[in-house]
Amino acid sequence: MKAAEVMACWLKRMSGPGRWIIATVFGLAGCVWALLWGSLPYLQGEQLEDGLRYPVAIARDAQGVPTLSGQSREDLAFATGYAHAQDRFFQMDLLRRRSAGELAELLGKEAVDMDAASRFHRFRSRAEQVFVGLPAASRQLLQQYAQGVNAGLKALSVRPFEYLVLGQAPREWSPQDSLFVVWSMYQELQDNQEGRELGRGWLRDHLKADQLAFLLPEGTRFDAPLDTALAQPPALASIPGSGPSWLGRTSDDINLQYAVGHRSSVGSNSWAVSGVRSAHGGAILADDMHLNLGLAHIWYRAAFHYPDQGVMQSITGIMLPGVPNMIVGSNTHVAWGFTNSYGDYVDLVELPVMSTEPLEFDLNSHRERPQIFEEMIAVRGEAPRVIRIMETSLGPVRKVEGRYYAVRWIAHEPFAVNFAMQQLETCDSVEQALSIAQQAGIPAQNFIAVDRQGAIGWTIAGPLPDRSAGLETSFPLPVNSPLLWTGRLSADQYPVLVNPSSGQLWSANSRQLAGEDYAKIGDGGADLGARAQQIKTGLSALSKATEMDLYRIGLDDRALYLSQWRERALALLTDDAVREFPARAEFRRLLNESWDGHASVGSVGYQLARSFYYQLYLELFTGLDEQLSQVAQTADFELVNPRWPAVVEQLLSEQPPHWLPDGQTWRSLQLRAIDQVTAKLTASGDSLEQATWGRRNTLQVKHPLHDALPWLGHWLSAPHDQVPGDDHMPRVSGPAFGQSERMVVSPGREAEGIFNMPGGQSGHPLSPFFLAGHQEWVDAKPRPFLPGAPVYRLTLTPKAS
C-alpha cells in the first residue's frame, strides 16, 4: 500500500475537527513541498528559446556536471547563463548585490552596513562606462549570457526557493551585472588593504624608526620565492633598545577564542612540474584556491565543446556563476590556475585641507572641492537609508581621526574589469596564456600555466599598478608623493618566469619574488611563507611525478612549521614548572602523547601547540590591537604584518627585558600563555584530553539562509565532519574556509586528471546535486577531472528553427 493510501485510511478513521486540522496541516505541507519541487529545473527534453542561432545540448552526468555542446561560443554563453540561473541564481544575485551595495533590498536592515561599505566605491556609477569600453565581442558574450540567465529563470515552474522564503521576486539579469560579480571578487580578495594601510600608518606615526623596521619585516627565513637564484635569507632588523608603550595585554578580560579557535583563512596553492619532471613527459598543474565555504558552493563545474575557426574546442574546468567564462581549467593544450597575489593595490593619499567652508583640498598646488554623492539604500520592509559619499579626482574620501584620505584602489579604474581571460579557452601555449593573463581584468592573481609540449610558466594575471618610482611600502602617502601609482603597468613589464631550470613552479600567497621585480607586485599582506616552503620541498622531492604525486602534496597536513612551537612549549614545561601545577603537567603529557606531527582530527597535541602559538600573540600585541581597532575596525597587528611570528620568534630567542610587558619575564609570559590556553579549553567543563583538533576543525558549511531558517537547518548545511589540516601547511582547512577545489591536470591527458570540491552543482537542497561530490572532498578521494557519462540531456532549440 502506498503512503498516500495509508494516510487516506487514517484520516477516514478520524472524526470531527481533528480530521480537518490534520488534513489542513498536511495540505499546507504538501503545498510547500510542491512549491519547493517546482523550483527545480527540468533536466531532460527540449526547450524552445529566443536568442539562439543553433541548438545547444546541456548533458549532465550523475553528479549534475554539465557538458555544453553547440555550434558557436555565443550560443554556448546563452546555454551557460541558462544553466547557471537554474542551478545558482540566488548565489549570482548575492554576488552582484554585494558589490553594488544592494543586499538590504533583498535581505533587510541587517545588510545595511555592508551595503554602505560597498556604496563607498560607487560601482553602480562605474558600470556603464566599463561596459561600453569592453571589446564588442565581450559585450556580445555578456549580452548572450544575460539573455540565457533570464530564459533559464523564466523556464522554472516556480521562482528559486530563496525568493519564496523572502517573499520577493528575482530581478532580471543584465549584461552589466557580470561586472558586479567581478567587483565582488575584488572585494573578497583585496578589500582589507585599506585597513592594513591605516594600521601601518598608525604604527609609523607612533613608533621610532628602528621599532617600525623591527615590527614590519619585508621578508623572513620562511620565504620561498620563485627567483631562487636571487633569494638570500633576509637579515631581520635588530631589536631596538626600547620597546613600545602598548606591549602586552591591557586586561585579563580578553577573548581567548582568538588563540583557541583562530581562523584558518589564508590564500591558495598552485604548483606545477614541467615535462622533464613528469613520468609521462607532459607538464602537470595542481591548483587549490582557498576561499570561504558555503552552499551553494562558489564554483560551478562545466565542460564546453564548440568549434572555433573550424577547430573543435574542448574546455573543462570551473566557473563562477555570474560570468560566462572558465575560471581555471584545461583546454587540452593549456591548463591554468590561480592563487591570490597579495600585492599592493591600494594607495591611501592624505589630502591637505586648504579650507573648511567650503571644504577644499590641496591636490598638488591646485584647489579641489570634493563632489558629494547621495546614495539611497533600499531596505526590505523599511524606509530607504541615504548616505553621502565624498569623492575627489584621486578617489572616494575617508575621514579618519581628523585626517582626510583619498582611497586609490585599482578596482575603481575602468581597466580593472574585462573578460580577456575567455581567450584562454582557445590558446595553445604557455607563452600565449601568460600574455592573455597579463591583459586580464580580474583581481591580480599569481597565474601558473602549463602546456601540452611540457612547458610551464608564471606571471601575474590582472592589473598591476605602475609604480615606476619603486616599491611602495603600504603606508598612507602624501598627495605629492612620487610613489603614487600612475596607471596600469604595461604587459611587457610584467614579471614572468618560464621553464625554470628546476622544472617546477609553486605559489602560496607568500612573497613570490626576491628580486627587484617584486616592487611591481608590492606587499599587500603576503603570507609568512611556511606553506609555500612546504610545497616547494614536496615538489623538489619528486623525480618522475604523476598526477597522484601532485595531488598528495595538496593533502600534506604535516605540522612542520608548528612543531617548533610545540618544542618550545615542551622546553618550558620542566619538572619544576609543572610540579605544583597539575594542569601544566597534563598539558605536557598531551603534547607528548597526543601528537603525530600532523593537524589530524584526533590530535590534542596539535590543538595545544597551535593555541599556545596564537596565545603568545595575545600576550604581546593585545594592547596594540586595541589601538589599531580605533583607526580601522578591521585592523589588527596580524593584518598589518602577517609575518608577526618572525617578530615573536626573534623576541623569544633574544629575550630583551625592555620588550616585556610590565612585571613579566619571558619565561613567565610563556607559561602564562599555556595557563590561559588550558583555562579556555576546559572552561565548559571538558577535560583537556577532549580538546582534539577535530572538535575545533568541524565543518560549518551552510546556505546563507541557514541561520534564518533553523527548522530547515538539516537541509541547508553540509554534514558537520571533522577535517584535518590548518594554515601554514598545504592542506589549509577551517570550519568554513579551505580548499574550494582540488584540481590536478596535464593538458591532453585530461582523462587522467583529478578533481573534487566541497559542494555540488545545485544550490537547491532538494536537488540530488546539492551536495554531490562533497563527501569525496571531505575524504580527499580523487575523482575524475572530466565529467562522467551523460545521464540527463536537455536541448535548447531556437524558436526560429
Side-chain angles (χ1 to χ4, degrees), residues 81-120:
Y82 190 98
H84 283 178
Q86 297 213 321
D87 286 335
R88 301 285 193 89
F89 186 80
F90 186 66
Q91 174 193 7
M92 298 162 60
D93 195 11
L94 294 185
L95 284 170
R96 67 173 170 178
R97 287 177 179 271
R98 178 189 178 184
S99 58
E102 296 167 356
L103 287 167
E105 181 182 19
L106 183 68
L107 303 176
K109 63 183 180 181
E110 292 78 10
V112 168
D113 288 345
M114 184 178 290
D115 279 354
S118 293
R119 291 293 183 98
F120 176 77

Side-chain angles (χ1 to χ4, degrees), residues 14 105 109 164 302 386 427 514 553 602 736:
M14 295 188 67
E105 181 182 19
K109 63 183 180 181
L164 296 174
V386 177
C427 72
I553 288 176

Side-chain angles (χ1 to χ4, degrees), residues 280 283-284 301 303 305 314-317 329-333 335 452 546-548 743-755 782-789:
H280 49 54
I284 310 174
R301 294 184 66 186
H305 297 308
S314 295
I315 305 99
T316 305
S330 178
N331 68 9
T332 76
H333 298 282
R452 197 166 186 158
T546 65
E547 281 82 354
M548 186 57 69
M743 180 185 82
V744 183
V745 65
S746 178
R749 294 179 172 83
E750 284 76 12
E752 302 165 33
I754 298 170
F755 187 90
R783 302 297 299 169
F785 172 73
L786 292 175

Side-chain angles (χ1 to χ4, degrees), residues 32-33 35-37 39-40 715 762-770:
V32 171
W33 196 257
L35 284 173
L36 292 175
W37 273 106
S39 59
L40 287 168
W715 289 277
S762 174
H764 198 304
L766 296 185
S767 168
F769 312 134
F770 184 55

Side-chain angles (χ1 to χ4, degrees), residues 539-778:
L539 276 176
S540 300
L542 301 176
S543 54
K544 292 298 182 180
T546 65
E547 281 82 354
M548 186 57 69
D549 289 332
L550 268 69
Y551 182 71
R552 291 191 187 101
I553 288 176
L555 301 178
D556 183 1
D557 58 15
R558 291 175 299 156
L560 300 184
Y561 171 73
L562 202 66
S563 62
Q564 64 179 305
W565 298 93
R566 169 183 173 266
E567 293 163 5
R568 183 178 295 278
L570 285 172
L572 285 166
L573 295 171
T574 62
D575 290 344
D576 287 343
V578 306
R579 184 168 290 114
E580 297 181 9
F581 297 91
R584 290 181 185 173
E586 180 70 349
F587 198 106
R588 181 174 70 174
R589 181 184 75 82
L590 292 168
L591 275 179
N592 277 312
E593 297 178 8
S594 185
W595 171 270
D596 61 3
H598 294 254
S600 50
V601 297
S603 176
V604 178
Y606 183 83
Q607 171 70 296
L608 298 183
R610 181 189 199 272
S611 299
F612 168 65
Y613 164 71
Y614 282 113
Q615 184 63 30
L616 287 172
Y617 175 97
L618 288 181
E619 298 295 331
L620 289 167
F621 302 122
T622 300
L624 172 59
D625 284 354
E626 291 177 355
Q627 298 281 349
L628 295 177
S629 66
Q630 302 301 310
V631 180
Q633 187 175 1
T634 60
D636 58 21
F637 187 51
E638 184 181 32
L639 175 65
V640 165
N641 176 24
R643 301 183 182 100
W644 65 266
V647 174
V648 176
E649 186 179 292
Q650 190 171 353
L651 287 172
L652 294 179
S653 175
E654 300 184 27
Q655 300 196 357
H658 49 279
W659 275 73
L660 273 168
D662 290 340
Q664 296 279 332
T665 67
W666 285 106
R667 179 174 176 77
S668 68
L669 180 142
Q670 293 175 81
L671 287 172
R672 174 185 169 117
I674 289 173
D675 294 342
Q676 292 292 331
V677 167
T678 301
K680 175 59 183 178
L681 289 173
T682 58
S684 62
D686 292 338
S687 70
L688 200 60
E689 195 168 20
Q690 293 174 287
T692 63
W693 177 238
R695 287 189 67 177
R696 178 272 183 190
N697 220 36
T698 299
L699 289 180
Q700 302 292 332
V701 180
K702 52 193 180 182
H703 189 281
L705 297 183
H706 174 277
D707 294 345
L709 302 170
W711 46 280
L712 287 177
H714 175 74
W715 289 277
L716 294 177
S717 67
H720 300 306
D721 292 298
Q722 296 183 357
V723 290
D726 193 13
D727 50 11
H728 299 314
M729 60 185 63
R731 190 170 186 171
V732 168
S733 177
F737 186 91
Q739 295 171 318
S740 65
E741 43 79 45
R742 303 186 187 111
M743 180 185 82
V744 183
V745 65
S746 178
R749 294 179 172 83
E750 284 76 12
E752 302 165 33
I754 298 170
F755 187 90
N756 56 46
M757 71 181 192
Q761 290 295 106
S762 174
H764 198 304
L766 296 185
S767 168
F769 312 134
F770 184 55
L771 287 172
H774 173 81
Q775 195 58 47
E776 287 91 340
W777 176 85
V778 170

